Amino acid sequence: MSTEPLRIGDHLVSPDHYIDGARVPGQRSFELFSPIDQRVLGHVAEGDEEHVEAAIQAAQRAFASWSALTAAQRLPCLERFADEIGRRAQALCAVESTDAGVLLSRMQHGVVPRAMLNIRWFARHALELQDRPIDTEQARHIVRHDPAGVTVIITPWNAPLMLSTWKLGPALAAGNTCVLKPPEWAPLTCSLLADAADAAGLPPGVFNVVQGTGATTGARLVADPRVARVSFTGSVPTARRIAQAAGANLVPCSLELGGKSPFIVLEDADLDAAAATATLMYRNAGQVCLAGTRLLVHEQVADEFVARMRPLVDQLVIGDPREEATEVGPIIHPRQVERVQGFVDRAVAGGAKLLWGGGRHAFGALYFSPTLVTNLQQDDEIVQNEVFGPVLTLQTFGHDDEAVALANGTDYGLGGVCYGETAHATAVAERVRTGFIWVNSFGIRDLAAPFGGIKRSGIGREGGEWSFEFFCDVKDIVLPKKPFRASFAHR
């Protein structure tokens, strides 16, 4: 079935899949709308069994030649890929802002430059993964990072461009070929990413995009025995289904999942700085997995902290994310708005107190007011489970041990924030069980550093050599230093 290109402002986006270097239409399609105003944007091709089969076959064929290249030989092509992303910056910004409701200013100043860096940095870092010798008394070991094979990448709707390139960068640089399944609620920048790859001259089949739902298209991809790796960012329930399907074929999975991160404010914290950073947790309408959504504040400074945070929240500009002044945009989908509202309503019904917010904002149907809930128990649903909206909780503590107990008292362990005198905050941070934690800061990321969570927040680490450890098969070639004579004694 032929589908018409989608027009987003001055930009046209193909609604078709990208398989083996060509656009491929689908027999079925699904409707796409903008969370900004719920305006229908058009229809996007939905992948079926035939598309999944074609994409995996294309990736298999391309793997033989792509994996045979050295990192230095792949580098120019991936550098061009990063350049082509930059050439499409205006389109990528406009499209993702409209498609996913992301702030246009954030796309311009943060996401697109980061997407380019994701491809370029990993392509260059792969050069450092040459054969590494390890010398022992008995032998010289040559450690290689070999390409693993066909890689399936599944990304979420809150940051489709950034997270797609975050995974594609190391996967392609390692010599793998990829099939990307974009989020069905916000697939359009992944389609533009295919245009960039095509213009950069990535060989056919090295990078494929198959659109569709997780329950059908995604499920077929992750269950295919020809797949060598699965990299997923999203929810815990979906991750369980992916792990079960991939596990049947013993396929390694990298799972970056939800967060319920603590934001600890110690009694010796700079309250102005802490309050300003806490207000940032409402960005992207709270649809950020690593946000510190549980405010844990020392009882001696809790009232003052709230008093300093409230005017900052009141000043937040809620509105159309395409406007320069906007600081909080819409929630992605009506189902997600209902989910967020349900968490708040149940908390209030159970005795929680609203300090501000609590419901939909007057700007539009998918806009939710920044909300702070207090008078909570540690086992309350809203404390324990990820809301994924502009909703924070507030609990107080009397000493460091209590702060640590509250921080560690959920099934999640992605990130965290700790404000206080540097040595004091660092000592507390060391006791918080998360994959990472920021001291007197938030959001500082370096591609060389590990990223990922513990407990229900995921399996594995992304970034730097950790990405290559996942996307590669690590092999040890052993060269004995003395003549070897076979003997049962060597067993």
Side-chain angles (χ1 to χ4, degrees):
M1 181 180 72
S2 176
T3 45
E4 294 295 322
L6 283 70
R7 179 173 288 278
I8 309 296
D10 297 330
H11 311 287
L12 292 176
V13 185
S14 173
D16 296 330
H17 312 294
Y18 179 75
I19 300 172
D20 206 14
R23 288 292 178 175
V24 179
Q27 294 299 314
R28 297 189 303 272
S29 66
F30 56 93
E31 189 176 76
L32 198 64
F33 66 87
S34 172
I36 297 173
D37 51 15
Q38 295 187 276
R39 174 176 59 89
V40 174
L41 300 175
H43 289 76
V44 176
E46 182 176 356
D48 56 23
E49 188 172 353
E50 178 183 341
H51 298 109
V52 170
E53 177 65 23
I56 290 177
Q57 284 190 10
Q60 272 194 309
R61 286 192 300 270
F63 179 71
S65 56
W66 184 251
S67 63
L69 300 175
T70 65
Q73 290 170 326
R74 288 189 288 266
L75 177 62
C77 192
L78 294 176
E79 292 272 20
R80 291 195 301 271
F81 188 16
D83 292 340
E84 290 294 337
I85 292 172
R87 290 191 180 97
R88 288 161 175 75
Q90 189 175 17
L92 289 165
C93 291
V95 169
E96 188 152 306
S97 184
T98 300
D99 191 24
V102 179
L103 295 183
L104 182 63
S105 59
R106 181 168 173 256
M107 291 296 301
Q108 293 168 333
H109 304 299
V111 174
V112 171
R114 169 67 187 276
M116 296 171 63
L117 182 62
N118 284 340
I119 302 298
R120 200 182 310 279
W121 189 91
F122 283 108
R124 294 175 180 176
H125 191 67
L127 299 175
E128 301 177 19
L129 295 179
Q130 306 302 321
D131 298 347
R132 297 184 177 184
I134 299 175
D135 281 310
T136 68
E137 182 179 346
Q138 290 184 310
R140 184 171 184 263
H141 300 255
I142 300 174
V143 180
R144 290 177 51 87
H145 287 74
D146 292 337
V150 176
T151 298
V152 168
I153 293 172
I154 301 177
T155 53
W157 43 260
N158 63 317
L161 176 63
M162 199 287 286
L163 290 176
S164 293
T165 54
W166 170 238
K167 299 173 185 295
L168 281 170
L172 293 173
N176 296 337
T177 54
C178 299
V179 181
L180 170 64
K181 207 293 284 184
E184 55 262 37
W185 285 353
L188 295 185
T189 43
C190 292
S191 182
L192 291 178
L193 203 56
D195 292 338
D198 194 70
L202 260 71
V206 169
F207 173 45
N208 308 272
V209 178
V210 181
Q211 299 155 154
T213 66
T216 55
T217 309
R220 289 190 179 105
L221 284 168
V222 301
D224 196 291
R226 293 165 293 182
V227 169
R229 294 289 188 275
V230 175
S231 182
F232 169 75
T233 296
S235 71
V236 173
T238 302
R240 287 196 176 109
R241 292 192 290 271
I242 289 173
Q244 185 175 24
N249 299 315
L250 297 180
V251 173
C253 294
S254 173
L255 305 173
E256 196 271 282
L257 309 178
K260 196 66 183 174
S261 300
F263 189 117
I264 303 169
V265 182
L266 302 170
E267 70 273 20
D268 50 11
D270 180 334
L271 296 184
D272 286 328
T277 303
T279 305
L280 290 178
M281 302 306 109
Y282 292 122
R283 72 180 186 180
N284 205 32
Q287 300 168 127
V288 180
C289 62
L290 51 77
T293 56
R294 292 187 296 132
L295 304 182
L296 308 178
V297 187
H298 195 284
E299 59 192 17
Q300 292 180 3
V301 298
D303 290 344
E304 183 61 25
F305 172 80
V306 170
R308 298 192 191 196
M309 185 176 174
R310 177 148 203 166
L312 300 178
V313 175
D314 290 342
Q315 293 165 19
L316 288 172
V317 178
I318 301 168
D320 190 324
R322 297 167 297 189
E323 299 294 330
E324 183 70 26
T326 299
E327 294 169 301
V328 180
I331 290 176
I332 186 74
H333 195 277
R335 291 214 305 264
Q336 187 65 16
V337 174
E338 292 171 6
R339 183 176 188 275
V340 172
Q341 186 69 70
F343 270 103
V344 175
D345 290 347
R346 290 189 295 273
V348 171
K353 178 183 177 183
L354 286 171
L355 293 184
W356 53 74
R360 302 186 191 213
H361 192 272
F363 188 84
L366 301 188
Y367 293 78
F368 202 91
S369 296
T371 297
L372 182 60
V373 184
T374 191
N375 195 34
L376 297 161
Q377 301 299 315
Q378 183 67 11
D379 60 356
D380 284 346
E381 175 197 43
I382 201 168
V383 173
Q384 289 294 320
N385 295 322
E386 187 176 45
V387 178
F388 223 59
V391 177
L392 308 181
T393 61
L394 174 67
Q395 297 167 273
T396 60
F397 61 87
H399 50 79
D400 290 357
D401 289 346
E402 187 179 1
V404 171
L406 291 173
N408 293 336
T410 75
D411 289 334
Y412 291 95
L414 184 56
V417 180
C418 189
Y419 266 82
E421 185 275 326
T422 301
H424 183 192
T426 302
V428 171
E430 289 173 349
R431 300 170 60 193
V432 176
R433 297 194 63 230
T434 57
F436 55 90
I437 186 166
W438 288 289
V439 173
N440 295 331
S441 59
F442 175 75
I444 298 172
R445 297 280 299 278
D446 192 303
L447 272 65
F451 179 84
I454 64 172
K455 299 189 284 187
R456 286 174 60 190
S457 287
I459 297 173
R461 292 292 181 270
E462 297 178 271
E465 294 189 19
W466 292 270
S467 286
F468 287 105
E469 291 291 318
F470 173 72
F471 285 117
C472 294
D473 288 327
V474 180
K475 178 166 64 181
D476 179 19
I477 300 176
V478 184
L479 304 173
K481 290 184 175 179
K482 299 177 182 179
F484 180 79
R485 298 291 181 266
S487 168
F488 284 109
H490 286 99
R491 288 189 171 183

